[in-house]
Amino acid sequence: MATYIVGDIQACFTGLVRLLDSVGFSAERDKLIAVGDLIGRGPQALETIEYLYSLGDSFDTVLGNHDLHLLAIYSGIRKAKPNDKLDTLLSSKNIETYINWLRKKPLALKPNEYKLVTHAGLYPKWSIKQALAYSDEISEQLTGDKWQTFLTNMYGNQPNVWDKELTGAKRFRFIVNALTRMRFIKGGDILDFDCKAAPEDASSELTPWFNCHNEKLKNSQQVIFGHWAALNGVTHTTQATGLDTGYIWGNKLTLLDLSRNVKHSVKYKETQ
Ligand SMILES: [Mn+2]
């Protein structure tokens, strides 16, 4: 039995199947975990969700910003843009099943004692235990009766600094932003949402979250994340592994074989 963690699929079903075939993935034997952004911008939203749903207990995922955006579009809270490419999925006869399935997915997962999986990463002031507890707070909202009210209040960039005394919509918004949208940190603890570039191309006042000292993260622990295509999987630290290698932008789709600690990729050009 192997556990594989796959980077941002973004509705690229063909690439996903090629990648899983290349490692001999078996839904009967193995487990697949995704870092979120299952859909969004790619051409095969319906095929991707149908397939991942069909894997049953062999599949799990954390939610990414595009997955939460899908829930908001389905709820009529946000309008889909043409480049979201969600029409085939939203008009599926099974859409309600898929939406209710996604609502039960967390923002953070612990695949073993030493690893944390989230879409964007781990806020430098949080331990893994805190991230999992805050993810549970969001799951309580997403699975509750008022899940659409929660989504209405989810959008926005403030507050951009964590304070454990935050309550209600502000608290939930910070948790969602830290776990699904974070890239750079300013001044040690401020979330920045303007820059999507690679670290070497960013202004000197911006630090990638994984280069900020986290006194609560032990040397043996590692954060596995996606979301940041410009990194191309390069973090220069053993405490963070980025799996978004920009397949949707013509680059690669990557998965990590967790037990062997080996990455495998397929190139966009070889799958067209
Ligand atoms: Mn993302």
Side-chain angles (χ1 to χ4, degrees), residues 38 52 56 86 88 110 127 180:
L38 307 178
L52 296 175
L86 298 171
T88 56
K110 193 180 166 187
S127 64
T180 72

Side-chain angles (χ1 to χ4, degrees), residues 213-228:
H213 179 64
N214 184 331
E215 62 184 26
K216 296 176 176 174
L217 190 65
K218 300 184 187 96
N219 280 333
S220 55
Q221 293 178 315
Q222 187 184 50
V223 183
I224 300 165
F225 67 103
H227 186 58
W228 197 344

Side-chain angles (χ1 to χ4, degrees), residues 8 37 65-66 119 227:
D8 305 42
D37 284 359
N65 52 308
H66 282 285
H119 183 59
H227 186 58

Side-chain angles (χ1 to χ4, degrees), residues 225-237:
F225 67 103
H227 186 58
W228 197 344
L231 286 179
N232 200 22
V234 179
T235 56
H236 302 293
T237 163

Side-chain angles (χ1 to χ4, degrees), residues 5-158:
I5 305 185
V6 65
D8 305 42
I9 300 163
Q10 295 203 247
C12 294
F13 177 64
T14 304
L16 174 66
V17 169
R18 292 280 180 90
L19 182 57
L20 293 176
D21 283 350
S22 78
V23 296
F25 173 77
S26 157
E28 285 76 43
R29 184 190 58 217
D30 302 324
K31 173 130 192 185
L32 180 67
I33 296 172
V35 299
D37 284 359
L38 307 178
I39 45 76
R41 303 220 165 104
Q44 295 164 291
L46 179 59
E47 292 91 331
T48 302
I49 294 295
E50 276 176 341
Y51 173 70
L52 296 175
Y53 180 81
S54 79
L55 293 178
D57 292 339
S58 305
F59 174 73
D60 208 351
T61 189
V62 294
L63 297 175
N65 52 308
H66 282 285
D67 308 311
L68 290 168
H69 194 54
L70 170 69
L71 299 182
I73 292 167
Y74 171 82
S75 305
I77 293 160
R78 277 295 204 261
K79 283 213 171 76
K81 297 182 202 117
N83 71 357
D84 288 329
K85 297 191 182 158
L86 298 171
D87 294 352
T88 56
L89 175 59
L90 286 165
S91 54
S92 158
K93 63 181 185 334
N94 295 322
I95 185 63
E96 199 180 336
T97 302
Y98 299 141
I99 293 291
N100 289 333
W101 173 67
L102 285 172
R103 281 170 55 202
K104 295 193 188 104
K105 298 301 182 189
L107 299 193
L109 269 174
K110 193 180 166 187
N112 68 38
E113 206 184 327
Y114 305 104
K115 312 277 181 185
L116 176 76
V117 180
T118 79
H119 183 59
L122 179 65
Y123 183 63
K125 302 294 174 189
W126 291 353
S127 64
I128 285 181
K129 198 173 159 190
Q130 277 175 284
L132 291 164
Y134 300 149
S135 165
D136 284 347
E137 291 187 31
I138 302 303
S139 291
E140 198 181 323
Q141 294 298 311
L142 278 176
T143 55
D145 292 344
K146 293 179 181 162
W147 66 284
Q148 290 170 315
T149 307
F150 160 76
L151 290 171
T152 306
N153 295 326
M154 177 181 73
Y155 289 91
N157 294 342
Q158 296 293 332

